[in-house]
Amino acid sequence: MVNAFNPDNLAHLDAASRSAIERRIRLLGPAYRLFYQQPVDVSRGRGVRLYDRNGNEYLDAYNNVVSVGHAHPRVVEAVNAQMGRLCTHTRYIQDGILDYAEQLLSTFGGRIGSQGHMMFTCTGSEANDLALRIARHYTGRQGVIITSEAYHGNSFLTAGISPSLGNLSPLGAWVRRVAAPDSYRLSPAEIGQRMAEQVAAQIDELQRHGEGLAAFIADSVFSSDGIYTNPSDVLAPVAEVVRAAGGLFIADEVQSGFARTGEALWGYQRHGVDPDIITMGKPMGNGYPVAAVAVTHEAVKRFGSDQRYFNTFGGNSVAIAAAQATFDVIREERLQDNARQVGEFIRAGMRDIASRYPQIGDVRGAGLYIGVEMVSDADRKTPDAALATAIVNGLRERRVLISATGFSANVLKIRPPLVFSQNDASQLLSETEAVLAQLTARG
C-alpha cells in the first residue's frame, strides 16, 4: 500500500474510479502501485497544477521530476523541434551533447569539474547501476555501504542497494547499512563522527567477509530515510574513511541535484565533499527520460579501456535537447534562489503550525525538499505513521498532493516543482492546518 491505497478494497470508490483501477490491475499487473485512498486521475498539467478528467485542479507539492513545472513551454518546444530534426544515439558527433556536458561539468567543482567526464543514461537507476560497475572495476572489490532506508533504483543491481523497496526485496550479500543521520533524535554535533565510525565498522565487516569496499553511496538529503538535511557536515568525515579504505564516494544527486536544495546546485556541495562519482536523473529533462554519471578521469580510465559503454537511448538527441532546455530554465529563471526563498517560507509556516499542534515533532529540509515529522508523543518522539497517512489523504481530498517517507513512514514529504511560488506555499500551509484541525477535532 502506498499512502493507504489498498487494491483489495475498492468498495468505497465511485463506479468510474473502480472500473479504471480494475482495468489497470488487469492490464498492468500487481507490481504497479497507486497513491492515496482515493487515487487521483490526471489528464493534463501546467506549472504546479494538475487537472483530472473533470477539470478539477490539484496543487502539486510532490513531483520533483518536472522541476521547472508541468509542460514548461521551453522544454516542450525544444523536444518538439529536435524530434522534427533528428533523434539518434551517441555514436555520431553532435554538438548538443558536448555543449551540455561541458556546461554541467563546469558546475561540479573539484576533480570532476576540472578533469572529469559525463556518461549518459536514461534513468537514475541506470546511472547508479553504471556508477557501481565503475566503482567495482576500479577497486576490484564488491562491497557497497548505504544508509538504512536508502533508495537508489530499480535495476537488479540498484534494487540490491535499495532497502526502501521493502523487507521482501532482497539486498545484496555484499551490502552493508548504516543508520541515517537522524537530526531529530541525535545531537547535531555528534552525527558526522558517529556516521563515519559506523561506516568504518561496516568496512571492517566487508573486508572480513572477503568483499572489500567498492563504494559508499548516499543521497545527500537522505530522502527515503526521512529527509535529513542538517547538519551539513555529515558526509565529509564519511568520505575520508571511505577513501582511506580505497573505496569510491558516490554522490547520488537524483533527488537532491539541479538546485533542489536552494543552497547549492548540487546537494553534496552543501557537505563540502569532492565525490569520485556523481549520479543524476529524475528532474534532468523535466519529465523526458534522461540521466547521467559524472566521474573523475582516474576512476573511469581503466573501465573505459577494458569495457565498452553504450546506451541506445542514453544521451540521444532529443534527451539532450530536453536536458539543455531544463537547465537553461533553472538558470535563467533563478530557480535555485526561488527554491531557497520559498522553501524557507514553507518551513517557517510549518513551524508556526507546529506551535499549535504538538503532533508535528520536527520540521526540516533544504530548499524545496521538506520533511515534517509526525509524532504521537512529542516528549518521546514516537513516530505516528497513521497521522501522517491521514494528513496526506486529507490534503488529497482538498486537492493538494504530497506524500510520506522515512523508516516509519511518518514524515510528510514535500518536494514540489522548483517554480512553486509563495502563493502556492500559502495554499499548502493553510490546507495543512485545516486538515490538522479536522483530524484533531475528531480525536
Side-chain angles (χ1 to χ4, degrees):
M1 296 188 293
V2 180
N3 289 332
F5 173 71
N6 183 354
D8 298 323
N9 181 17
L10 306 181
H12 65 288
L13 301 176
D14 62 77
S17 296
R18 190 163 58 248
S19 175
I21 293 169
E22 288 171 346
R23 182 176 183 233
R24 174 188 163 101
I25 292 171
R26 174 169 50 83
L27 295 173
L28 302 185
Y32 281 83
R33 299 291 190 269
L34 285 164
F35 274 161
Y36 313 116
Q37 290 171 330
Q38 173 78 44
V40 179
D41 118 58
V42 294
S43 60
R44 64 185 179 93
R46 190 72 169 184
V48 300
R49 307 284 164 167
L50 289 168
Y51 301 87
D52 65 23
R53 71 181 70 185
N54 297 317
N56 295 311
E57 181 181 277
Y58 296 79
L59 177 65
D60 187 355
Y62 175 73
N63 280 296
N64 65 332
V65 175
V66 285
S67 60
V68 299
H70 294 278
H72 194 290
R74 284 277 296 278
V75 182
V76 172
E77 180 183 357
V79 169
N80 183 60
Q82 184 60 51
M83 184 63 85
R85 286 193 299 271
L86 173 72
C87 182
T88 191
H89 53 71
T90 56
R91 282 182 168 159
Y92 301 103
I93 297 172
Q94 300 176 74
D95 288 339
I97 191 172
L98 303 180
D99 293 341
Y100 181 65
E102 189 170 50
Q103 291 172 42
L104 270 194
L105 286 168
S106 72
T107 68
F108 295 127
R111 293 165 300 146
I112 291 177
S114 64
Q115 47 82 57
H117 310 288
M118 297 294 303
M119 302 171 74
F120 290 92
T121 67
C122 299
T123 69
S125 295
E126 286 184 343
N128 282 330
D129 191 291
L130 178 58
L132 293 183
R133 288 173 56 202
I134 292 170
R136 286 177 160 185
H137 192 79
Y138 176 78
T139 62
R141 306 186 196 113
Q142 298 294 308
V144 179
I145 297 175
I146 57 174
T147 55
S148 60
E149 194 67 9
Y151 174 73
H152 295 293
N154 267 313
S155 70
F156 180 78
L157 192 55
T158 58
I161 58 167
S162 296
S164 67
L165 291 176
N167 292 334
L168 297 181
S169 182
L171 298 179
W174 35 268
V175 172
R176 297 294 184 275
R177 293 194 282 176
V178 297
D182 188 342
S183 55
Y184 180 42
R185 294 172 177 84
L186 300 173
S187 166
E190 70 181 57
I191 290 177
Q193 188 57 39
R194 179 189 178 108
M195 193 170 189
E197 290 170 357
Q198 290 180 345
V199 169
Q202 294 306 323
I203 290 172
D204 290 343
E205 271 293 296
L206 287 167
Q207 291 173 340
R208 184 178 183 183
H209 288 83
E211 303 286 357
L213 178 68
F216 171 87
I217 181 170
D219 151 23
S220 66
V221 297
F222 304 97
S223 51
S224 295
D225 289 290
I227 309 175
Y228 300 106
T229 54
N230 288 292
S232 57
D233 59 358
V234 170
L235 291 176
V238 169
E240 291 180 12
V241 170
V242 168
R243 294 224 176 87
L248 298 187
F249 185 99
I250 302 173
D252 181 343
E253 290 290 312
V254 174
Q255 299 271 13
S256 56
F258 288 101
R260 171 59 52 181
T261 65
E263 299 168 25
L265 188 64
W266 305 105
Y268 73 83
Q269 291 172 333
R270 298 177 64 248
H271 287 259
V273 178
D274 182 16
D276 300 287
I277 303 176
I278 303 163
T279 60
M280 61 209 82
K282 283 193 192 300
M284 194 168 175
N286 207 53
Y288 192 97
V290 56
V293 169
V295 57
T296 65
H297 178 73
E298 179 187 7
V300 79
K301 181 180 179 181
R302 192 159 55 87
F303 178 89
S305 64
D306 292 351
Q307 302 182 26
R308 292 180 298 170
Y309 171 73
F310 178 64
N311 186 317
T312 303
F313 295 108
N316 74 74
S317 320
V318 176
I320 295 299
Q324 182 68 71
T326 303
F327 195 41
D328 289 344
V329 171
I330 289 173
R331 292 178 294 179
E332 292 170 17
E333 296 188 8
R334 300 178 63 84
L335 294 184
Q336 183 177 323
D337 288 341
N338 188 69
R340 177 178 53 78
Q341 293 165 7
V342 177
E344 288 173 354
F345 180 82
I346 294 172
R347 289 191 297 280
M350 287 293 180
R351 290 185 182 112
D352 178 60
I353 296 172
S355 70
R356 294 182 290 281
Y357 293 91
Q359 295 90 344
I360 295 179
D362 193 31
V363 177
R364 51 187 182 257
L368 284 172
Y369 214 130
I370 297 164
V372 181
E373 181 152 355
M374 309 309 299
V375 295
S376 58
D377 185 318
D379 293 329
R380 297 181 179 180
K381 301 181 179 180
T382 309
D384 194 339
L387 179 57
T389 298
I391 293 170
V392 168
N393 283 279
L395 283 170
R396 177 261 174 268
E397 291 306 308
R398 292 173 173 268
R399 301 196 183 118
V400 175
L401 306 180
I402 66 167
S403 187
T405 191
F407 179 79
S408 300
N410 68 311
V411 180
L412 305 182
K413 179 164 63 174
I414 300 166
R415 52 167 199 185
L418 299 179
V419 292
F420 213 67
S421 70
Q422 189 165 311
N423 285 338
D424 300 323
S426 294
Q427 180 183 351
L428 168 67
L429 291 167
S430 63
E431 296 291 5
T432 299
E433 182 152 23
V435 169
L436 270 167
Q438 186 178 49
L439 291 172
T440 54
R442 292 176 187 169

